[in-house]
Amino acid sequence: MTEHDGGPSASKLEEGRLLKELEAIHRTRHETLLHGSDDALVTHTKRMNELEHEYVRRHPQRAQTASRTREGARARGAGEYGAGE
């Protein structure tokens, strides 16, 4: 991606800066969803997607918590509510 009004291209960011940008965009997501204009939400979503895709590209083998997978969620749900419910 090329540079745009939302900041430098995610692919050009150093690792530390990429993480800081991700933290900031996730911190502001809820407020943008609730109170931002339609244009602000579209811009926020595009930038968030760009940053997240770059992080996943750099870290394809990132640690994944079992409970954050579909299988883990199903197992957790069965334990909480009982089998068959």
Side-chain angles (χ1 to χ4, degrees), residues 15-26:
E15 187 69 12
R17 174 86 187 274
L18 176 63
L19 291 173
K20 286 185 183 295
E21 293 266 344
L22 280 165
E23 289 172 10
I25 205 152
H26 287 132

Side-chain angles (χ1 to χ4, degrees), residues 28-39:
T28 60
R29 182 63 179 176
H30 190 71
E31 190 73 17
T32 304
L33 175 64
L34 294 179
H35 305 292
S37 67
D38 290 345
D39 286 343

Side-chain angles (χ1 to χ4, degrees), residues 18-19 22 51-59 62:
L18 176 63
L19 291 173
L22 280 165
L51 294 167
E52 289 178 350
H53 285 269
E54 179 60 20
Y55 181 84
V56 171
R57 185 190 70 75
R58 291 183 191 186
H59 303 280
R62 68 196 187 285

